[in-house]
Amino acid sequence: MSKNNILVISECKYSNIGMSRLLKEHYGAYNIRLFSDFKQGGAKAERIIKHDIALIFTSHNLEQSVNVIESLVLLHQQYSAKTRILVFYDDERVVKLLSIMGISVELVSSRISLYSLQEKIQRLLESYEPGGIKVQKTRELSPAESDVLFNLLRGDSILHIAEKRGTHPKTIFSQKYSAMRKLRLNSMSTIFVAGKQPLRSI
């Protein structure tokens, strides 16, 4: 069988080690070459595209989850990625933010049973189809709009973003509201509501 280069990304080293052991112990027949990374900000688009499969764990750390989603947007915008991707989540805000961004990717609750998890991984290993991140055309952001939006999500101010980008704050305001219009947002605080309580607003 062909070799599968698998990247496991998680800020929780225990999730990382557990998934690595599961892959090594149960899927030796698939000739797996395993790579692991649980450093903060590990879900970089340029790192993901080098692998056949990426198993990405988000967390209750919203900034880490925002980094993952930004990487998925960059994969779509900048690369013809063939990587098969499985995103694990334990926070419904991740699902909500992906939905707002119009991103379709295979999502799995981190509370999934071990049997179901093994089934999903086996299907990934047997598949020759690319992972296929899809973004709704009407919600596709320009690279500048994406950069502004994700900087806002990480808590940067309009002035700080303008300073970093070497542009006028009015340009950042314009890009922010253009992104919000495409994503059909009345308020940035909508992003931080997961059915119950808002986390914070920008």
Side-chain angles (χ1 to χ4, degrees), residues 165-181:
R165 291 177 59 86
T167 190
H168 197 280
K170 285 184 179 178
T171 303
I172 304 302
F173 268 114
S174 175
Q175 290 164 339
K176 171 188 173 181
Y177 284 106
S178 175
M180 288 176 64
R181 187 176 65 253

Side-chain angles (χ1 to χ4, degrees), residues 36-193:
S36 298
D37 188 350
F38 54 84
K39 292 181 287 186
Q40 188 171 14
K44 299 293 185 185
E46 60 271 19
R47 190 175 317 195
I48 294 170
I49 60 166
K50 295 176 182 175
H51 300 86
D52 301 309
I53 295 172
L55 307 174
I56 305 173
F57 289 80
T58 60
S59 71
H60 283 290
N61 177 339
L62 191 60
E63 182 176 348
Q64 188 263 0
S65 296
V66 166
N67 289 340
V68 168
I69 294 167
E70 183 177 28
S71 293
L72 296 178
V73 170
L74 289 175
L75 278 171
H76 175 75
Q77 287 178 342
Q78 299 179 7
Y79 303 98
S80 299
K82 295 182 179 178
T83 305
R84 305 190 293 280
I85 296 172
L86 205 56
V87 176
F88 295 84
Y89 68 93
D90 60 1
D91 189 330
E92 291 295 328
R93 288 174 300 183
V94 172
V95 180
K96 185 175 182 69
L97 185 49
L98 285 166
S99 175
I100 288 169
M101 299 291 296
I103 298 170
S104 296
V105 67
E106 186 163 7
L107 284 166
V108 178
S109 169
S110 59
R111 298 174 183 85
I112 191 173
S113 70
L114 183 59
Y115 176 77
S116 299
L117 173 60
Q118 287 176 309
E119 275 193 328
K120 282 193 171 289
I121 291 174
Q122 187 151 340
R123 281 201 297 272
L124 266 183
L125 292 167
E126 291 173 350
S127 173
Y128 291 98
E129 295 296 319
I133 296 171
K134 296 178 182 174
V135 179
Q136 292 176 29
K137 285 286 182 188
T138 55
R139 299 199 181 199
E140 283 194 35
L141 304 181
S142 71
E145 289 166 348
S146 293
D147 186 60
V148 168
L149 182 75
F150 284 108
N151 275 296
L152 287 169
L153 289 174
R154 280 189 283 267
D156 278 358
S157 68
I158 295 284
L159 289 175
H160 188 220
I161 297 169
E163 191 177 295
K164 283 198 299 185
R165 291 177 59 86
T167 190
H168 197 280
K170 285 184 179 178
T171 303
I172 304 302
F173 268 114
S174 175
Q175 290 164 339
K176 171 188 173 181
Y177 284 106
S178 175
M180 288 176 64
R181 187 176 65 253
K182 288 180 181 179
L183 300 180
R184 303 168 196 165
L185 294 173
N186 293 321
S187 165
M188 290 292 287
S189 64
T190 307
I191 289 175
F192 300 104
V193 180

